[in-house]
Amino acid sequence: MNTAKEGIRLPPSPSVLKTNMKTKLNIRRRINEIIVSIEQRSQMPIENVGLIKRYLRESLISGKKITFYDWECPPRFLDRDRDGRLFVNYDVNLKSIFRGGRVDRFTELPKVVEYKQQEKRNLQFLLDLGIRFRFVKLIADTNLFYLTPESLAIGRAAELEEKMCEFRLRVKDEMKDYPGNPEVYRFTKLMRKYVEEYDQNFKYALNILQSSPDKLISKSAFLGQLRRTREHVGWQSKKEVLRFSLKTIATYAAEGVVFGKLSAGALPNCVWLNPYEADRRTVEITNCLRRKRGLPDLPIIFPYQS
């Protein structure tokens, strides 16, 4: 009987079944080996390890790359306007900053300057594991528009726009010897398709936080953010620490939602490579809106700053 002509599909032969089973076992074993290696080099447990395993499976089977990403915050310092009021000033001497100079003890140096060798080692570690990936640095220029919009009103918007562009280019230049041909994008440009959604989620989260923070985050995460704002930005007045902290949490919350879209678009299968904020506060504020809507946490790994 000619089964091909009659459209009858024969079952796979025992040898094919055996080969397929062996391939699946090898893939599963390889994924577990990679996860164990990452865990051994982690500051805290992997976030949403199940999703990362899925990304690894897709990568091993089809060659689809995982997108590891991290953030660079534009350097800033507290300054006074003409009326003596404190504000966040982004008009810094980037040439000096990228040489390691600080305006004050709160001025953040770019990670590609302060942690350059550690970042290169972490990327090489991922390459040595055989993971197919791209690495993307995201410039957190949303800070200017959402955390400190008053900075735009006090400064000159066109000059601050140039400053953000210059910062991105300098970050990119610093990464030219990084493994894996990394990419650098301003987050406002990357999320352009989703800016309305980001806006809505930012305002929604901020609204909840301003009335009842405990409806969105735990007390420990809230207090942790207040402490981080004082230590990393320099605000000391309780009013300003609170205002800045709530806006910071709202930006993380809005990003958490938008990254669900970016992972299926511009940043396929994205995983936050996060050696710098390895704490439960970060995990919670990033995922607070996702959890409120019954969405899974974003995948994050926390390698040591080795």
Side-chain angles (χ1 to χ4, degrees):
M1 181 171 65
N2 192 332
T3 55
K5 286 185 179 180
E6 294 179 17
I8 299 173
R9 295 182 63 186
L10 294 173
S13 67
S15 62
V16 170
L17 286 172
K18 188 175 180 180
T19 301
N20 289 343
M21 182 62 71
K22 187 176 180 181
T23 299
K24 288 180 181 178
L25 287 172
N26 286 339
I27 289 174
R28 191 178 302 137
R29 187 181 301 115
R30 186 75 194 99
I31 290 169
N32 288 335
E33 287 172 354
I34 290 172
I35 292 297
V36 168
S37 294
I38 292 174
E39 287 174 337
Q40 289 173 343
R41 194 171 168 141
S42 294
Q43 301 177 60
M44 58 186 287
I46 296 170
E47 194 66 24
N48 200 338
V49 67
L51 186 54
I52 294 178
K53 284 183 176 181
R54 196 189 90 190
Y55 291 166
L56 287 169
R57 187 176 298 110
E58 289 179 17
S59 178
L60 291 169
I61 292 173
S62 68
K64 184 175 182 179
K65 290 184 177 181
I66 294 173
T67 304
F68 289 111
Y69 68 91
D70 188 24
W71 296 91
E72 285 285 2
C73 291
R76 74 289 177 276
F77 65 101
L78 288 182
D79 199 2
R80 293 191 181 274
D81 65 12
R82 292 178 180 179
D83 297 322
R85 292 172 298 192
L86 282 172
F87 76 103
V88 176
N89 193 341
Y90 296 89
D91 188 14
V92 299
N93 183 335
L94 288 176
K95 187 175 181 180
S96 172
I97 291 287
F98 275 82
R99 288 176 176 170
R102 300 176 189 264
V103 180
D104 56 30
R105 68 188 180 92
F106 299 109
T107 306
E108 288 187 356
L109 290 180
K111 294 166 187 170
V112 292
V113 173
E114 190 164 9
Y115 303 111
K116 184 171 187 173
Q117 297 309 315
Q118 294 97 312
E119 291 204 324
K120 289 166 68 175
R121 282 195 290 270
N122 279 333
L123 291 179
Q124 190 59 54
F125 166 71
L126 295 173
L127 281 174
D128 291 343
L129 288 178
I131 302 174
R132 295 183 179 94
F133 71 89
R134 59 195 283 237
F135 179 58
V136 175
K137 276 282 188 182
L138 300 174
I139 305 300
D141 56 344
T142 39
N143 291 0
L144 179 59
F145 301 97
Y146 290 90
L147 292 184
T148 61
E150 64 276 4
S151 301
L152 279 169
I154 296 169
R156 295 181 180 178
E159 290 180 2
L160 291 176
E161 171 68 17
E162 287 180 11
K163 191 68 68 173
M164 295 297 143
C165 290
E166 181 189 351
F167 182 63
R168 187 190 78 84
L169 290 174
R170 286 185 178 274
V171 169
K172 186 176 181 180
D173 187 61
E174 283 293 330
M175 296 176 69
K176 62 189 176 186
D177 61 343
Y178 275 40
N181 300 314
E183 306 160 52
V184 187
Y185 299 101
R186 287 177 58 181
F187 192 58
T188 54
K189 308 299 182 187
L190 198 66
M191 70 163 195
R192 190 175 293 162
K193 284 172 59 177
Y194 312 110
V195 67
E196 187 175 338
E197 185 171 5
Y198 184 98
D199 249 4
Q200 290 171 352
N201 282 292
F202 173 79
K203 291 171 183 174
Y204 174 65
L206 188 59
N207 226 15
I208 298 174
L209 291 163
Q210 288 173 334
S211 56
S212 303
D214 59 318
K215 290 184 178 179
L216 198 58
I217 59 168
S218 66
K219 185 176 180 180
S220 62
F222 176 62
L223 293 176
Q225 188 57 53
L226 294 177
R227 182 169 57 252
R228 183 172 175 83
T229 296
R230 284 191 297 268
E231 293 173 355
H232 290 265
V233 184
W235 292 112
Q236 296 304 316
S237 101
K238 289 184 179 179
K239 180 181 177 181
E240 289 300 337
V241 168
L242 177 62
R243 181 184 69 87
F244 196 93
S245 295
L246 295 184
K247 283 190 169 188
T248 299
I249 296 167
T251 60
Y252 275 69
E255 287 158 10
V257 174
V258 167
F259 266 99
K261 302 290 179 65
L262 290 172
S263 191
L267 300 176
N269 289 5
C270 61
V271 176
W272 186 1
L273 183 65
N274 177 18
Y276 311 108
E277 291 186 73
D279 52 39
R280 300 316 302 174
R281 171 197 62 88
T282 301
V283 172
E284 190 175 332
I285 65 177
T286 298
N287 292 294
C288 59
L289 276 187
R290 296 183 64 83
R291 292 175 178 179
K292 192 173 182 65
R293 292 167 185 172
L295 298 171
D297 285 5
L298 293 178
I300 313 173
I301 63 174
F302 307 90
Y304 283 109
Q305 296 181 43
S306 59

